[in-house]
Structure formats: structure tokens, C-alpha cells
Amino acid sequence: MNSAPLALYLHFPWCVRKCPYCDFNSHTLRGEVPEADYVAALLRDLDADLLSLGDQVRPVTSAFLGGGTPSLFSGAALQQVLDGVRARVGFVDDAEITLEANPGTVDEAHFAGYRAAGINRLSIGVQSFNPAHLKRLGRIHGADDALRAMRVARAAGFDNVNLDLMFGLPDQIANEALADLAQAVALSPEHLSVYQLTLEPNTEFAARPPPLPDDDRVADMQIALQARLADAGYAQYEVSAYAQSGRQSRHNLTYWAFGDYLGVGAGAHGKFTLAGQVQRRAKHKHPKTYLATAGAPSAWQENRVVPPAELPFEFAMNALRLVDGFTPMQFEHATGLPMTVLDDALDKARAQGLINEEGGRLRASPLGYRHLNRLMGLFL
């Protein structure tokens, strides 16, 4: 049996309200969440994916329940989903099982139910503690809701929590971003994800851009935030990810190491290797279409083998996000290609000072990390 990690992503597509910056597959909820129908669809979908894997099926090392807002679902519904995974494929003994939670949709009963279902890690979408910025971002929660969510999570027994923060917000100044971070650090989460707000296509912010800080101010903001995070004991291990010792996200590390993962749910993406070929799949995005097709071949909006010529870029797009970069052996194992196919890209990266090589690892240099898209583009 294949002993490589197998991750599982489960997508829950509904939100109370669509945020103006969000380009994820999320849909404003009209009426009640169709819990029973969606749980049944997820398990049909999982059955079909497992069947396609054949003898490459192995226990799940990490699962991530994302959205949308999966915390709109009850603990009982999520327990049904996770029990279904246990019955079909199983989890390794120390599996990391993460739930994304919106502070505006959770209470004591929800968190207790999630913990009872076997969820052992939370990712709480705080984004900011500043009321004016939360309003501009279209968030349904306030700063007090975020503080309460963390208290309730701890009371429910969660000892592995990530907080999401954003910076470079409309009209934000550096001191406001640092105040957000100070409040987050004071809550002592094990992990912090600190993202720059970007204007993504097909979002409300893209259609009507808000006044964002200029690039120089955002860069200064990021440098200041990184220094504060380091001082507080959070080591950066990926572009936007910082963790206390031993608390890196195992699920996201599987993505960034170009590992295998199944994507179950409306719009979910999966990637795995079969017979030496890297395959990518995506399910239909619209919840109604997904509910009608889950478990059937028609559920796949995308189902393709990645051509070998595209693999260097796909690998670099993930591995170069990591502070530790990658080794030649990791590249060859993940892609099935010889390291020589990277010679031209690496020559250009060295000439531009975008990459460092030491201890048998290739990493983005400090300059390369600041211009990561430029570095990744060399691998196209």
C-alpha cells in the first residue's frame, strides 16, 4: 500500500452573506441549510473518489472542512460526515481534523458538538478586530464575537487553533494592522495565518475597488508584522503561515509539498497520482448542480491528467511558498521528472538572485520571497 500522506478536503458552500473580497466558492444561504441532503451527497462523492483510487486508497492523515462557512452545520451533521469517512477509509491515529469557523455563527453548543465529532483543530476567520474594518470587509461578526469564539473554543477543549488575519485593508494604517496582531497574539493561538488583502477577479471589491494602501505601505506593514510575530514566538514556515513550535498545519503542508488530497463537496479540488500520472479533479461549483450529480461521473467539472510540461510550475507554485523550499529528491519523487528539467529555470533564478541553495535544499531568497510570482513564473 502507498504510505504517502493522503489528505481530504471537504467543502461546505454556504455563507450567511458573501464577503466583498471573497473569490471562494461560497453562496449566500437562502433559508435553512440542507444538512441531510448535503451530508448524503458528500458521502456519495467520497465513495466515487475512493473507487477511482483503487489500491492507492490509504487512511487519511488530515482533513480540512472549509467553505463557505462549515460552522453553519451542526455538530451532529459533521459527525455523520466524519463517521462516514471513518467507515470508508479511516483516519490515522493522530490525524489532524480542522474546521473553519466564522465567529458570527458559533456558540458553546456548536463547539462542543464539533469536538465530540472528532474535530481537533479550528481555524477561526477573525480577519480584524477593528469594527470599522470588519464593516468594510462585510463580515457578519464583531470584535467581541471573535474574542468570545476563542474563549468558547478553549472551553470546549480545543488546544490547536488558528486565527486568520488580513492586512492591507481599505484605508488601513500600520498601527491598526499591528493592533490587530497584538490582540490576536494576546489570545495565544497555536497558529496564525496573516494574509494581505488582494483584489480578486469576479468579486465586489474588484468591480468597485476600495482605497487600499499603496504597495510601499503594505510592504512596510508586512515587515513590521513579521517582526512582531517572530518576537512573539511564531515562526514563519510559509508565505502567510506562522506557528508555534510543532504546530504547523499538517494539512496545508501536504498541499505545499505537492502531496495527494481528495476534494469532496461543491467546487472542491483534488490532486493525486495514479500510475505515475498526476491527476486533478474539481466538482461542480453550484450547490444545486452538485447535489444532483454527487457520486456520478457527471459531478466532475474538471478531470484531467496534468501534462509533464506543466508539472515543474505546479510543483514550484506550491513548494517555493515554503520557507524550507524543497530538495531535488522531493521534486523527482513528486513529479516523476528528472531534476535536469529545472536547469533553465534555476539558472535564470540564480542570475536574478531569486533563489538560494544550501544544505541540499532550494529556497526562495529574501528577494525571491518578496517577488514570489516572478520566481514561480520562471518555472512555466
Side-chain angles (χ1 to χ4, degrees):
M1 178 184 291
N2 190 333
S3 61
L6 177 66
L8 173 64
Y9 176 73
L10 297 136
H11 190 77
F12 297 79
W14 292 283
C15 285
V16 173
R17 184 172 65 215
K18 180 85 170 179
C19 296
Y21 59 85
C22 178
D23 69 336
F24 294 158
N25 183 40
S26 60
H27 302 260
T28 300
L29 183 64
R30 312 290 184 190
E32 296 294 317
V33 176
E35 280 195 344
D37 288 345
Y38 198 70
V39 168
L42 287 173
L43 296 178
R44 292 197 307 273
D45 191 357
L46 178 61
D47 282 335
D49 271 1
L50 292 174
L51 183 63
S52 71
L53 278 183
D55 63 2
Q56 296 301 303
V57 172
R58 62 267 195 195
V60 170
T61 54
S62 67
F64 194 100
L65 289 71
T69 307
S71 53
L72 288 172
F73 282 67
S74 67
L78 298 187
Q79 176 144 11
Q80 280 186 275
V81 174
L82 295 175
D83 283 348
V85 177
R86 293 182 185 101
R88 287 160 172 80
V89 61
F91 291 102
V92 299
D93 289 342
D94 63 343
E96 175 192 274
I97 305 176
T98 302
L99 173 79
E100 278 188 337
N102 185 311
T105 64
V106 290
D107 53 27
E108 290 87 346
H110 275 87
F111 275 153
Y114 300 149
R115 192 72 190 91
I119 292 163
N120 54 27
R121 184 175 184 269
L122 292 175
S123 182
I124 301 177
V126 172
Q127 316 310 352
S128 176
F129 293 94
N130 183 304
H133 290 144
L134 287 170
K135 184 176 180 180
R136 292 289 289 273
L137 292 174
R139 303 296 292 174
I140 65 169
H141 72 273
D144 288 345
D145 295 317
L147 298 175
R148 178 181 55 83
M150 191 65 174
R151 289 196 302 270
V152 173
R154 294 303 196 201
F158 286 98
D159 62 359
N160 195 1
V161 178
N162 168 67
L163 297 183
D164 278 349
L165 286 180
M166 301 177 77
F167 68 95
L169 306 180
D171 292 318
Q172 188 181 44
I173 60 174
N175 283 344
E176 291 172 330
L178 289 168
D180 277 344
L181 181 61
Q183 178 64 84
V185 167
L187 297 173
S188 300
E190 287 69 30
H191 191 284
L192 280 160
S193 298
V194 184
Y195 301 93
Q196 179 187 345
L197 173 64
T198 56
L199 302 185
E200 302 294 344
N202 304 313
T203 63
E204 185 179 327
F205 272 4
R208 289 177 290 278
L212 300 182
D214 63 38
D215 290 345
D216 288 340
R217 288 184 181 180
V218 170
D220 290 343
M221 212 178 283
Q222 183 172 18
I223 291 168
L225 291 169
Q226 288 172 331
R228 295 288 179 89
L229 283 158
D231 289 344
Y234 293 90
Q236 183 178 22
Y237 68 100
E238 188 268 346
V239 171
S240 304
Y242 304 78
Q244 295 176 352
S245 179
R247 295 305 187 116
Q248 295 87 349
S249 167
R250 287 163 51 194
H251 186 84
N252 286 341
L253 282 171
T254 298
Y255 292 161
W256 298 322
F258 210 55
D260 286 350
Y261 56 94
L262 299 178
V264 173
H269 288 250
K271 175 260 168 189
F272 44 88
T273 304
L274 284 175
Q277 295 181 317
V278 175
Q279 300 191 8
R280 288 202 178 275
R281 287 180 179 167
K283 310 298 168 54
H284 281 291
K285 290 184 175 182
H286 198 282
K288 286 184 178 179
T289 307
Y290 175 77
L291 284 166
T293 60
S298 56
W300 297 333
Q301 188 164 317
E302 176 188 354
N303 183 17
R304 71 185 185 97
V305 172
V306 180
E310 295 179 15
L311 289 174
F313 174 70
E314 288 218 2
F315 179 88
M317 186 172 59
N318 290 282
L320 287 174
R321 294 177 64 91
L322 292 168
V323 169
D324 281 346
F326 65 95
T327 66
M329 184 180 296
Q330 286 172 326
F331 172 79
E332 292 180 349
H333 178 75
T335 65
L337 300 173
M339 191 66 186
T340 52
V341 303
L342 298 184
D343 285 350
D344 184 57
L346 290 176
D347 286 344
K348 292 176 181 176
R350 292 185 193 102
Q352 297 177 39
L354 300 178
I355 203 156
N356 287 336
E357 299 172 71
E358 54 183 318
R361 303 192 73 87
L362 294 101
R363 302 178 176 87
S365 68
L367 178 64
Y369 227 48
R370 290 197 300 273
H371 300 280
L372 202 54
N373 287 338
R374 185 172 125 205
L375 172 58
M376 291 175 181
L378 300 177
F379 292 81
L380 277 171

Short mmCIF file of all heavy atoms in Angstrom, two decimals, residues 177-216:
data_model
loop_
_atom_site.label_atom_id
_atom_site.label_comp_id
_atom_site.label_asym_id
_atom_site.label_seq_id
_atom_site.Cartn_x
_atom_site.Cartn_y
_atom_site.Cartn_z
N ALA A 177 -2.95 47.62 11.77
CA ALA A 177 -2.59 46.23 11.49
C ALA A 177 -1.84 45.62 12.67
O ALA A 177 -2.08 44.46 13.05
CB ALA A 177 -1.75 46.14 10.22
N LEU A 178 -0.93 46.39 13.26
CA LEU A 178 -0.17 45.90 14.41
C LEU A 178 -1.08 45.71 15.63
O LEU A 178 -0.87 44.79 16.43
CB LEU A 178 0.97 46.85 14.73
CG LEU A 178 2.12 46.86 13.71
CD1 LEU A 178 3.05 48.04 13.95
CD2 LEU A 178 2.90 45.54 13.77
N ALA A 179 -2.08 46.56 15.78
CA ALA A 179 -3.03 46.40 16.89
C ALA A 179 -3.84 45.12 16.72
O ALA A 179 -4.10 44.41 17.70
CB ALA A 179 -3.95 47.62 16.96
N ASP A 180 -4.25 44.83 15.50
CA ASP A 180 -4.95 43.56 15.23
C ASP A 180 -4.07 42.37 15.63
O ASP A 180 -4.54 41.42 16.27
CB ASP A 180 -5.32 43.45 13.75
CG ASP A 180 -6.60 44.16 13.39
OD1 ASP A 180 -7.38 44.50 14.30
OD2 ASP A 180 -6.83 44.37 12.18
N LEU A 181 -2.82 42.43 15.23
CA LEU A 181 -1.92 41.33 15.54
C LEU A 181 -1.69 41.21 17.04
O LEU A 181 -1.68 40.10 17.59
CB LEU A 181 -0.59 41.51 14.82
CG LEU A 181 0.44 40.40 15.06
CD1 LEU A 181 -0.09 39.06 14.58
CD2 LEU A 181 1.76 40.73 14.37
N ALA A 182 -1.53 42.35 17.72
CA ALA A 182 -1.32 42.31 19.17
C ALA A 182 -2.50 41.65 19.87
O ALA A 182 -2.32 40.85 20.81
CB ALA A 182 -1.09 43.73 19.70
N GLN A 183 -3.71 41.96 19.42
CA GLN A 183 -4.90 41.35 20.02
C GLN A 183 -4.93 39.85 19.75
O GLN A 183 -5.25 39.05 20.63
CB GLN A 183 -6.16 42.00 19.48
CG GLN A 183 -7.45 41.40 20.01
CD GLN A 183 -7.62 41.57 21.50
OE1 GLN A 183 -8.08 42.61 21.98
NE2 GLN A 183 -7.25 40.56 22.27
N ALA A 184 -4.57 39.46 18.52
CA ALA A 184 -4.55 38.03 18.18
C ALA A 184 -3.52 37.28 19.01
O ALA A 184 -3.79 36.21 19.56
CB ALA A 184 -4.26 37.86 16.69
N VAL A 185 -2.32 37.85 19.13
CA VAL A 185 -1.25 37.20 19.90
C VAL A 185 -1.64 37.08 21.37
O VAL A 185 -1.32 36.08 22.03
CB VAL A 185 0.08 37.98 19.73
CG1 VAL A 185 1.12 37.53 20.75
CG2 VAL A 185 0.61 37.79 18.31
N ALA A 186 -2.36 38.07 21.88
CA ALA A 186 -2.79 38.03 23.28
C ALA A 186 -3.71 36.84 23.56
O ALA A 186 -3.82 36.38 24.70
CB ALA A 186 -3.50 39.33 23.64
N LEU A 187 -4.36 36.31 22.53
CA LEU A 187 -5.24 35.15 22.68
C LEU A 187 -4.47 33.83 22.64
O LEU A 187 -5.06 32.77 22.85
CB LEU A 187 -6.31 35.17 21.59
CG LEU A 187 -7.27 36.36 21.62
CD1 LEU A 187 -8.18 36.35 20.40
CD2 LEU A 187 -8.11 36.33 22.91
N SER A 188 -3.18 33.90 22.34
CA SER A 188 -2.28 32.73 22.33
C SER A 188 -2.75 31.59 21.45
O SER A 188 -2.75 30.43 21.86
CB SER A 188 -2.07 32.21 23.76
OG SER A 188 -1.49 33.20 24.58
N PRO A 189 -3.13 31.86 20.20
CA PRO A 189 -3.43 30.74 19.29
C PRO A 189 -2.14 29.99 18.96
O PRO A 189 -1.04 30.56 19.04
CB PRO A 189 -4.00 31.43 18.05
CG PRO A 189 -3.30 32.76 18.04
CD PRO A 189 -3.18 33.15 19.50
N GLU A 190 -2.28 28.74 18.60
CA GLU A 190 -1.10 27.96 18.24
C GLU A 190 -0.59 28.30 16.84
O GLU A 190 0.57 28.04 16.52
CB GLU A 190 -1.42 26.46 18.31
CG GLU A 190 -1.56 25.90 19.70
CD GLU A 190 -2.78 26.39 20.45
OE1 GLU A 190 -3.82 26.69 19.81
OE2 GLU A 190 -2.71 26.50 21.69
N HIS A 191 -1.44 28.91 16.03
CA HIS A 191 -1.12 29.17 14.62
C HIS A 191 -1.77 30.47 14.22
O HIS A 191 -2.87 30.80 14.66
CB HIS A 191 -1.65 28.01 13.77
CG HIS A 191 -1.18 27.97 12.35
ND1 HIS A 191 -1.67 28.82 11.38
CD2 HIS A 191 -0.29 27.15 11.72
CE1 HIS A 191 -1.09 28.52 10.21
NE2 HIS A 191 -0.25 27.52 10.40
N LEU A 192 -1.11 31.23 13.35
CA LEU A 192 -1.68 32.45 12.79
C LEU A 192 -1.47 32.45 11.28
O LEU A 192 -0.36 32.18 10.80
CB LEU A 192 -1.02 33.69 13.39
CG LEU A 192 -1.52 34.11 14.77
CD1 LEU A 192 -0.51 34.99 15.48
CD2 LEU A 192 -2.86 34.82 14.66
N SER A 193 -2.53 32.73 10.55
CA SER A 193 -2.45 32.93 9.10
C SER A 193 -2.67 34.41 8.85
O SER A 193 -3.72 34.96 9.21
CB SER A 193 -3.51 32.11 8.37
OG SER A 193 -3.31 30.72 8.59
N VAL A 194 -1.66 35.07 8.27
CA VAL A 194 -1.69 36.52 8.12
C VAL A 194 -1.57 36.84 6.63
O VAL A 194 -0.51 36.71 6.04
CB VAL A 194 -0.55 37.18 8.93
CG1 VAL A 194 -0.64 38.69 8.84
CG2 VAL A 194 -0.60 36.73 10.39
N TYR A 195 -2.69 37.25 6.04
CA TYR A 195 -2.78 37.43 4.60
C TYR A 195 -2.88 38.90 4.22
O TYR A 195 -3.54 39.68 4.91
CB TYR A 195 -4.05 36.75 4.06
CG TYR A 195 -4.17 35.28 4.32
CD1 TYR A 195 -4.84 34.80 5.45
CD2 TYR A 195 -3.65 34.37 3.42
CE1 TYR A 195 -4.97 33.45 5.68
CE2 TYR A 195 -3.78 33.00 3.64
CZ TYR A 195 -4.44 32.56 4.77
OH TYR A 195 -4.56 31.21 5.00
N GLN A 196 -2.31 39.24 3.09
CA GLN A 196 -2.56 40.55 2.51
C GLN A 196 -3.86 40.51 1.72
O GLN A 196 -4.10 39.57 0.95
CB GLN A 196 -1.42 40.95 1.57
CG GLN A 196 -1.63 42.31 0.91
CD GLN A 196 -0.58 42.63 -0.13
OE1 GLN A 196 0.46 41.99 -0.20
NE2 GLN A 196 -0.85 43.62 -0.96
N LEU A 197 -4.71 41.50 1.91
CA LEU A 197 -5.92 41.61 1.10
C LEU A 197 -5.54 41.91 -0.34
O LEU A 197 -4.79 42.85 -0.62
CB LEU A 197 -6.82 42.73 1.64
CG LEU A 197 -8.05 43.06 0.79
CD1 LEU A 197 -9.01 41.88 0.72
CD2 LEU A 197 -8.76 44.30 1.34
N THR A 198 -6.03 41.10 -1.25
CA THR A 198 -5.82 41.33 -2.68
C THR A 198 -7.17 41.41 -3.38
O THR A 198 -8.15 40.82 -2.91
CB THR A 198 -4.96 40.23 -3.32
OG1 THR A 198 -5.58 38.95 -3.08
CG2 THR A 198 -3.56 40.21 -2.72
N LEU A 199 -7.21 42.13 -4.47
CA LEU A 199 -8.45 42.27 -5.24
C LEU A 199 -8.51 41.14 -6.26
O LEU A 199 -7.73 41.10 -7.21
CB LEU A 199 -8.51 43.62 -5.94
CG LEU A 199 -8.40 44.84 -5.03
CD1 LEU A 199 -8.60 46.12 -5.83
CD2 LEU A 199 -9.40 44.77 -3.88
N GLU A 200 -9.42 40.19 -6.03
CA GLU A 200 -9.55 39.02 -6.90
C GLU A 200 -10.63 39.24 -7.94
O GLU A 200 -11.64 39.90 -7.67
CB GLU A 200 -9.88 37.79 -6.06
CG GLU A 200 -8.86 37.46 -4.98
CD GLU A 200 -7.51 37.05 -5.53
OE1 GLU A 200 -7.44 36.72 -6.73
OE2 GLU A 200 -6.53 37.06 -4.78
N PRO A 201 -10.44 38.69 -9.15
CA PRO A 201 -11.46 38.85 -10.19
C PRO A 201 -12.82 38.31 -9.74
O PRO A 201 -12.89 37.42 -8.90
CB PRO A 201 -10.90 38.01 -11.35
CG PRO A 201 -9.43 37.91 -11.09
CD PRO A 201 -9.28 37.92 -9.60
N ASN A 202 -13.86 38.89 -10.30
CA ASN A 202 -15.22 38.43 -10.06
C ASN A 202 -15.66 38.58 -8.60
O ASN A 202 -16.45 37.79 -8.09
CB ASN A 202 -15.41 36.97 -10.51
CG ASN A 202 -15.04 36.77 -11.96
OD1 ASN A 202 -15.45 37.54 -12.83
ND2 ASN A 202 -14.24 35.74 -12.23
N THR A 203 -15.12 39.60 -7.94
CA THR A 203 -15.58 39.93 -6.60
C THR A 203 -16.11 41.35 -6.59
O THR A 203 -15.85 42.14 -7.50
CB THR A 203 -14.43 39.83 -5.56
OG1 THR A 203 -13.42 40.79 -5.89
CG2 THR A 203 -13.82 38.43 -5.55
N GLU A 204 -16.86 41.68 -5.55
CA GLU A 204 -17.41 43.03 -5.43
C GLU A 204 -16.29 44.06 -5.33
O GLU A 204 -16.37 45.14 -5.92
CB GLU A 204 -18.31 43.10 -4.20
CG GLU A 204 -19.03 44.43 -4.03
CD GLU A 204 -19.92 44.45 -2.81
OE1 GLU A 204 -20.47 43.39 -2.46
OE2 GLU A 204 -20.05 45.54 -2.20
N PHE A 205 -15.22 43.74 -4.60
CA PHE A 205 -14.10 44.66 -4.47
C PHE A 205 -13.40 44.89 -5.81
O PHE A 205 -12.87 45.97 -6.07
CB PHE A 205 -13.10 44.15 -3.44
CG PHE A 205 -13.39 44.58 -2.02
CD1 PHE A 205 -14.53 45.32 -1.71
CD2 PHE A 205 -12.51 44.27 -0.99
CE1 PHE A 205 -14.80 45.72 -0.40
CE2 PHE A 205 -12.76 44.66 0.32
CZ PHE A 205 -13.91 45.38 0.61
N ALA A 206 -13.34 43.86 -6.65
CA ALA A 206 -12.72 44.03 -7.97
C ALA A 206 -13.55 44.95 -8.85
O ALA A 206 -13.01 45.76 -9.61
CB ALA A 206 -12.54 42.67 -8.64
N ALA A 207 -14.88 44.82 -8.74
CA ALA A 207 -15.76 45.67 -9.55
C ALA A 207 -15.77 47.11 -9.06
O ALA A 207 -15.84 48.05 -9.86
CB ALA A 207 -17.18 45.09 -9.52
N ARG A 208 -15.68 47.28 -7.73
CA ARG A 208 -15.67 48.62 -7.14
C ARG A 208 -14.53 48.67 -6.13
O ARG A 208 -14.75 48.52 -4.91
CB ARG A 208 -17.02 48.90 -6.46
CG ARG A 208 -18.16 49.10 -7.45
CD ARG A 208 -19.49 49.31 -6.74
NE ARG A 208 -19.95 48.08 -6.10
CZ ARG A 208 -20.58 47.09 -6.75
NH1 ARG A 208 -20.82 47.20 -8.05
NH2 ARG A 208 -20.97 46.02 -6.11
N PRO A 209 -13.31 48.89 -6.61
CA PRO A 209 -12.13 48.80 -5.73
C PRO A 209 -12.17 49.82 -4.59
O PRO A 209 -12.42 51.01 -4.81
CB PRO A 209 -10.96 49.09 -6.67
CG PRO A 209 -11.47 48.77 -8.04
CD PRO A 209 -12.93 49.15 -8.02
N PRO A 210 -11.94 49.35 -3.37
CA PRO A 210 -11.85 50.26 -2.25
C PRO A 210 -10.48 50.92 -2.21
O PRO A 210 -9.55 50.47 -2.89
CB PRO A 210 -12.04 49.33 -1.04
CG PRO A 210 -11.45 48.03 -1.51
CD PRO A 210 -11.76 47.94 -2.97
N PRO A 211 -10.29 51.95 -1.42
CA PRO A 211 -8.98 52.63 -1.34
C PRO A 211 -8.00 51.82 -0.49
O PRO A 211 -8.03 51.88 0.74
CB PRO A 211 -9.32 53.97 -0.69
CG PRO A 211 -10.55 53.70 0.12
CD PRO A 211 -11.32 52.65 -0.62
N LEU A 212 -7.13 51.07 -1.14
CA LEU A 212 -6.15 50.25 -0.43
C LEU A 212 -4.85 51.02 -0.23
O LEU A 212 -4.51 51.90 -1.04
CB LEU A 212 -5.87 48.97 -1.23
CG LEU A 212 -7.05 48.04 -1.49
CD1 LEU A 212 -6.58 46.80 -2.25
CD2 LEU A 212 -7.74 47.64 -0.19
N PRO A 213 -4.09 50.68 0.81
CA PRO A 213 -2.77 51.29 0.98
C PRO A 213 -1.89 50.97 -0.23
O PRO A 213 -2.04 49.91 -0.86
CB PRO A 213 -2.23 50.61 2.24
CG PRO A 213 -3.40 50.02 2.93
CD PRO A 213 -4.40 49.70 1.86
N ASP A 214 -0.95 51.86 -0.55
CA ASP A 214 -0.09 51.61 -1.71
C ASP A 214 0.92 50.51 -1.38
O ASP A 214 1.07 50.08 -0.24
CB ASP A 214 0.61 52.89 -2.18
CG ASP A 214 1.56 53.49 -1.14
OD1 ASP A 214 2.24 52.73 -0.43
OD2 ASP A 214 1.62 54.72 -1.04
N ASP A 215 1.61 50.03 -2.42
CA ASP A 215 2.48 48.86 -2.28
C ASP A 215 3.58 49.08 -1.25
O ASP A 215 3.92 48.16 -0.49
CB ASP A 215 3.11 48.50 -3.64
CG ASP A 215 2.10 47.94 -4.62
OD1 ASP A 215 1.00 47.57 -4.18
OD2 ASP A 215 2.42 47.87 -5.83
N ASP A 216 4.16 50.27 -1.20
CA ASP A 216 5.24 50.53 -0.25
C ASP A 216 4.72 50.46 1.19
O ASP A 216 5.38 49.90 2.08
CB ASP A 216 5.86 51.90 -0.50
CG ASP A 216 6.70 51.93 -1.76
OD1 ASP A 216 7.11 50.85 -2.23
OD2 ASP A 216 6.94 53.04 -2.29
#
